[in-house]
Amino acid sequence: MRATGMNDDDRPLRCLVTGATGYLGGRLVPELLAAGYSVRCLARSPGKLRDHPWAGQAEVVRGDVMDEASVRAAMEGTDVAYYLVHALNTGRGFEETDRRAARIFGEQARAAGIRRIVYLGGLSPSGVPENALSPHLRSRAEVGRILLASGVPTAVLRAAVIIGSGSASFEMLRYLTERLPVMVTPSWVRTRIQPIAVRDVLRLLVGCARLPSDVNRAFDIGGPDVVTYQEMMRRYAAIAELPKRVILPVPLLTPRLSSLWVSLVTPVPGALARPLVESLKHEVVCAERDIVRYVPDPPEGLVTLDRAIRLALRRVQDADVATRWSSASTPRAPSDSLPTDPDWAGGSLYTDDRERTVAASPQALWRVVEAIGGENGWYSSPLAWSLRGWLDTLVGGVGLRRGRRDAIRLRVGDSLDFWRVEEIEPGRLLRLRAEMRLPGLAWLEMAVDPDPRGCAVYRQRALFHPHGLAGHVYWWGVAPFHAAVFGGMARNIAAAAESAAPEPARSR
């Protein structure tokens, strides 16, 4: 039997992906590679893709969907073209930009002999005239029609809300629910929608590469749950273990006012918040599920809304924090964040970063790092740490009474005052996870790297993932003390290493 990713002439199916620096495109590329396909990415800024784990396996070419020549060159020798771009953030003229880009793409695909175009659009409400749709949905529908009329067999997948960390729709849901225990909301929170997990979207996108040549149509795609936005917020709160949210819908908030409110409460930019809010005015539920005739559901079934939320939250909740700064966004699943995701994606993760060059060897610096805590102290204000330990004990936490097992060596799982050793790379990295009572999850990382001049570089990072509004209030409440506590720690650790270093190392 021919391998899944092989073409009729026993060569890998060659796919062109536009929008690889975007949310879905960056997650689609490794799925296509895993299916055995050859992948080429068209990107205006190829450098943005260099940190992806798959960067060495996919060809990346510079170009723009508004430039006919670059699109034509990118399509040369390819079989399937994925159109995953839109001009939503380009201003008021985005509909005309989308229209022109889609026409260029369709025309060049036909000229290049592309066998199939695959496009992900928005799920339009049934029974609503197109002129009554939001500009966002109206443009998505028009792009789909242009590609379907291009003369190249096209599959248009139409989805409502995509659930996955980094998706603008999901991030809006995340931040609204986490930051507002009581919500006065517009009436659209009662609108029914059919969300779909990013895993199922990617599975369908990959499957569409093999559709029969006579398939040229749109497909509605959605998950197994049909819910209101209000129910989605309540489910999110329950899964994130937040207190039950009080939601008070009122009919007075227009989409414009709602989007201003969303952009105020959440870090999702207003240019994205408004079309997302406007799209929720109408019910968006799949009218058909014809796609399963060509791309069957997996044996375990579609991903439920609850499981999709759990997957999107998994990385931080399961303490899956990267052990190296350079790999902080390395993905392991479609629900994980990517280097090209926007800064506001992935939920709140506050950080305090410190770095110092130390006139000592990396070995001398590591000895100080590994000996931290217990009787050796925390190289910062003893009063501040003692007070923090006393407060933790007062609320039923472990406080500072545990100390450490060994005065010199640490191993994974060791308790260290009110921290626990979660990760240790001898001579390189120590990561501690807080076990004190906090409205969130906290880590403290200390890393040692060699310096080209023969010294060492000390990097320190405190991370905090807030749990609900109380978590955000806590972080900003203690933030004024970070310079004294964490800044003092970095200075004193460096000083301790330098004082312990042999004279030649200090003189460099």
Side-chain angles (χ1 to χ4, degrees), residues 24-65:
L24 276 167
R27 289 160 171 80
L28 175 63
V29 172
E31 300 295 321
L32 291 170
L33 291 169
Y37 300 154
S38 171
V39 180
R40 177 183 296 162
C41 301
L42 176 69
R44 283 183 297 179
S45 304
K48 290 183 177 180
L49 300 176
R50 67 175 180 269
D51 292 330
H52 286 263
W54 47 260
Q57 303 173 59
E59 179 186 2
V60 180
V61 298
R62 185 183 301 276
D64 191 315
V65 291

Side-chain angles (χ1 to χ4, degrees), residues 252-319:
L252 302 178
L253 291 174
T254 65
R256 177 173 174 75
L257 288 175
S258 295
S259 62
L260 290 173
W261 167 67
V262 169
S263 59
L264 176 67
V265 173
T266 81
V268 178
L272 274 178
R274 184 170 185 180
L276 291 174
V277 168
E278 289 177 335
S279 300
L280 294 168
K281 290 189 300 184
H282 304 289
E283 181 177 285
V284 277
V285 176
C286 295
E288 44 80 14
R289 290 198 68 236
D290 295 348
I291 189 66
V292 297
R293 294 164 47 192
Y294 305 100
V295 187
D297 291 343
E300 67 275 14
L302 299 176
V303 178
T304 64
L305 172 61
D306 288 356
R307 181 165 180 253
I309 293 174
R310 287 192 183 95
L311 289 169
L313 293 177
R314 181 187 60 185
R315 190 177 188 199
V316 172
Q317 288 194 333
D318 287 356

Side-chain angles (χ1 to χ4, degrees), residues 105-415:
F105 198 82
E107 290 167 359
Q108 296 307 315
R110 185 176 65 250
I114 295 289
R115 300 183 187 184
R116 171 153 305 279
I117 294 173
V118 182
Y119 167 61
L120 181 70
L123 183 57
S124 298
S126 59
V128 179
E130 192 166 298
N131 59 10
L133 297 177
S134 68
H136 165 60
L137 281 180
R138 189 167 60 237
S139 179
R140 292 293 182 96
E142 183 181 20
V143 167
R145 286 199 308 275
I146 291 171
L147 296 176
L148 287 168
S150 66
V152 177
T154 298
V156 175
L157 301 184
R158 308 193 306 175
V161 172
I162 297 176
I163 302 296
S165 183
S167 151
S169 298
F170 178 74
E171 297 303 333
M172 188 172 82
L173 170 72
R174 181 206 299 267
Y175 286 114
L176 285 176
T177 310
E178 288 187 351
R179 295 187 174 183
L180 297 175
V182 179
M183 291 176 263
V184 178
T185 59
S187 57
W188 51 255
V189 298
R190 292 176 174 168
T191 301
R192 292 200 318 155
I193 51 181
Q194 190 168 354
I196 182 171
V198 63
R199 293 189 176 206
D200 282 326
V201 175
L202 294 171
R203 179 180 55 80
L204 292 170
L205 285 170
V206 173
C208 282
R210 287 286 179 186
L211 289 178
S213 59
D214 60 346
V215 175
N216 186 63
R217 56 162 293 185
F219 296 94
D220 292 354
I221 62 171
D225 301 278
V226 177
V227 294
T228 64
Y229 202 87
Q230 177 176 278
E231 176 62 22
M232 280 180 45
M233 288 192 285
R234 285 184 169 147
R235 288 203 194 182
Y236 180 98
I239 292 167
E241 298 180 349
L242 298 169
K244 187 175 181 180
R245 270 29 195 166
V246 178
I247 302 173
L248 306 172
V250 296
L252 302 178
L253 291 174
T254 65
R256 177 173 174 75
L257 288 175
S258 295
S259 62
L260 290 173
W261 167 67
V262 169
S263 59
L264 176 67
V265 173
T266 81
V268 178
L272 274 178
R274 184 170 185 180
L276 291 174
V277 168
E278 289 177 335
S279 300
L280 294 168
K281 290 189 300 184
H282 304 289
E283 181 177 285
V284 277
V285 176
C286 295
E288 44 80 14
R289 290 198 68 236
D290 295 348
I291 189 66
V292 297
R293 294 164 47 192
Y294 305 100
V295 187
D297 291 343
E300 67 275 14
L302 299 176
V303 178
T304 64
L305 172 61
D306 288 356
R307 181 165 180 253
I309 293 174
R310 287 192 183 95
L311 289 169
L313 293 177
R314 181 187 60 185
R315 190 177 188 199
V316 172
Q317 288 194 333
D318 287 356
D320 185 14
V321 177
T323 59
R324 294 182 176 85
W325 277 260
S326 61
S327 63
S329 295
T330 301
R332 283 164 292 282
S335 53
D336 288 342
S337 59
L338 293 180
T340 48
D341 284 348
D343 292 340
W344 45 264
S348 300
L349 186 65
Y350 294 120
T351 63
D352 181 279
D353 293 281
R354 311 278 168 172
E355 180 176 321
R356 298 185 72 86
T357 299
V358 183
S361 68
Q363 294 80 10
L365 177 57
W366 176 253
R367 283 194 292 271
V368 175
V369 168
E370 192 176 9
I372 199 167
E375 295 297 323
N376 300 321
W378 289 89
Y379 297 93
S380 188
S381 168
L383 177 62
W385 283 97
S386 297
L387 179 61
R388 187 66 187 85
W390 177 80
L391 289 173
D392 191 54
T393 305
L394 190 66
V395 296
V398 297
L400 292 172
R401 59 178 178 263
R402 295 191 307 191
R404 52 180 291 157
R405 175 189 58 85
D406 185 297
I408 299 175
R409 299 282 180 252
L410 289 175
R411 61 189 180 195
V412 172
D414 278 357
S415 60

